[in-house]
Amino acid sequence: MSMEIRMIGTGSAFAKKYFNNNALVKCNGYTLMIDFGITAPLAMYHMGLPLDCIDGVFVTHLHADHIGGFEELMLRLKFNYGKKPSLFIEEGLIAPLWNCSLKGGLEFGAEGRQTLDDFFHVVPLTVGKPCEIVPGFRLEIVPTRHFLDMPSYALILNDYLFYSGDTVFDPQLLQAVHERGCSHMLHDCQLDGHGLVHATLPDLLTLPEPIQRKTWLMHYGDNMEAFVGKTGPMVFIRQHQSYSFEPPART
């Protein structure tokens, strides 16, 4: 089934020109937000999108540019809109998300002590077990290596679109994703500096050309425009624009 992706931001953690790298994915009438960072509420305001358009949220990992907007999202959906979305999250991240990132600002409320379940229908995810959100819309999580021992996860959507989250350069993972038939690959890209926690552009340019032709670059710095035309067959995905992705033709 086809999907529409609209990046509410495409920037790296410290970008100022571009918002945090977070995405809205629409499929079969369902709107999934991938991450919701510090700048996400402002980005959606600039796009004229109300927060209650979100039906569910997926968390790749617990850095602030990926979860920093959760407090506003949760409070406004619960108390302004009366909506309880689904939270799709790897099972081992559920407790740290609440206890280490959200509890201090959200546990105490007008209705007494609250928990994560008061704000979300929590859907635990397990590596190797795809989850069908609604008929025709599936997600599968894939572990990535990002920051020290912090768990982080990429997504494969409907078996044909790969969304890296944050990861160091991992050519074996990308080759495996390519070989399983993913026709579109959205990948974070550090444009300069050392690739300690992200794949760098020089790293990605070493990938086989068939993989590069599938690759859309995201999570980049404010100097992105200086690199246009220097990315080989890969292209930058732009914030606020809508992209339609169709499943590959099967032979």
Side-chain angles (χ1 to χ4, degrees), residues 74-75 78-79 98 103 105-119:
M74 294 161 72
L75 288 171
K78 180 176 174 65
F79 296 109
W98 179 253
K103 181 178 178 179
L106 292 167
E107 180 181 37
F108 305 100
E111 302 172 356
R113 291 183 181 271
Q114 301 177 110
T115 68
L116 195 61
D117 293 302
D118 290 308
F119 296 94

Side-chain angles (χ1 to χ4, degrees), residues 38-122:
I38 296 169
T39 64
L42 181 61
M44 292 192 67
Y45 170 79
H46 280 293
M47 296 169 71
L49 295 174
L51 293 181
D52 69 336
C53 75
I54 297 171
D55 298 312
V57 189
F58 171 76
V59 174
T60 60
H61 65 293
L62 303 186
H63 276 148
D65 56 320
H66 297 264
I67 63 165
F70 261 66
E71 184 170 316
E72 178 173 346
L73 176 69
M74 294 161 72
L75 288 171
R76 292 189 62 199
L77 285 181
K78 180 176 174 65
F79 296 109
N80 293 141
Y81 294 104
K83 185 171 185 176
K84 188 175 182 179
S86 294
L87 173 64
F88 301 94
I89 182 170
E90 193 277 329
E91 53 196 350
L93 290 181
I94 297 171
L97 174 66
W98 179 253
N99 293 324
C100 301
S101 299
L102 300 176
K103 181 178 178 179
L106 292 167
E107 180 181 37
F108 305 100
E111 302 172 356
R113 291 183 181 271
Q114 301 177 110
T115 68
L116 195 61
D117 293 302
D118 290 308
F119 296 94
F120 290 114
H121 299 291
V122 180

